[in-house]
Amino acid sequence: MKKNEDKLCPSYYAKPGAELYGVVNKSGFIDYLQSTIEIDETFVEEANKGRDPEKRFRFAGSCAKSGCAQWNTGKKGCGLIDKVIDIVDNEEKTTLQHCPIRSQCRWYAQRQGLACAQCSDIIRKLEMKALEGEGIV
Ligand code: SF4
């Protein structure tokens, strides 16, 4: 178990030791696993044979804080979730979906349920926004 102050980045990449916690379903939303699965080298090798694993799964790993380009030094927090909330723009729900990493999630620690309201939509909506930006849809 990690120390309380050690948060998990919920937008981590597929590398051995990362925690798999969600799978992108056919509608492009995230199905959250009951509990996390630590991935190994074999998983990473297999997953990299298809589309980018980060587009098909969600992984968590130790938040690198100031070692990450997304870290907002002034706010002493992850800047990515603030951008995601602005772009995806979902309203906070009264009930939170199940998520196996919530107690240690960096985004939840910073923005609570508002972060979770965007989370399942991230890959789907951000891809749509990217397509809109390119004039494709
Ligand atoms: S933002 Fe919420 S739903 Fe998403 S990974 Fe963190 S705790 Fe889970």
Side-chain angles (χ1 to χ4, degrees):
M1 197 60 170
K2 291 181 180 298
K3 284 185 286 169
N4 218 12
E5 66 269 25
D6 291 340
K7 294 292 175 212
L8 290 176
C9 164
S11 186
Y12 208 67
Y13 45 98
K15 75 172 210 181
E19 301 285 344
L20 171 66
Y21 71 92
V23 179
V24 180
N25 64 29
K26 283 193 181 134
S27 309
F29 295 104
I30 311 297
D31 288 335
Y32 295 84
L33 305 186
Q34 274 310 308
S35 50
T36 62
I37 299 168
E38 187 176 323
I39 62 169
D40 59 13
E41 216 151 301
T42 309
F43 179 97
V44 175
E45 273 173 27
E46 287 300 315
N48 274 303
K49 287 178 185 167
R51 286 188 303 125
D52 287 349
E54 292 81 6
K55 289 189 174 156
R56 294 182 287 138
F57 303 102
R58 291 285 292 276
F59 304 100
S62 289
C63 169
K65 297 184 182 172
S66 56
C68 174
Q70 301 291 353
W71 189 252
N72 183 323
T73 311
K75 284 190 175 175
K76 291 199 173 98
C78 175
L80 182 58
I81 186 56
D82 296 331
K83 290 181 204 158
V84 164
I85 289 170
D86 284 346
I87 294 169
V88 179
D89 201 24
N90 285 337
E91 283 182 18
E92 189 168 351
K93 298 186 179 83
T94 44
T95 316
L96 295 178
Q97 70 272 44
H98 163 79
C99 174
I101 66 161
R102 183 163 289 121
S103 63
Q104 295 202 283
C105 176
R106 161 69 61 200
W107 290 357
Y108 183 76
Q110 287 180 209
R111 305 298 300 267
Q112 294 78 46
L114 194 55
C116 300
Q118 322 307 320
C119 193
S120 179
D121 227 343
I122 284 174
I123 292 170
R124 196 182 71 95
K125 261 206 180 160
L126 292 189
E127 284 192 341
M128 289 299 285
K129 291 276 178 189
L131 294 175
E132 281 167 16
E134 289 169 21
I136 295 170
V137 293

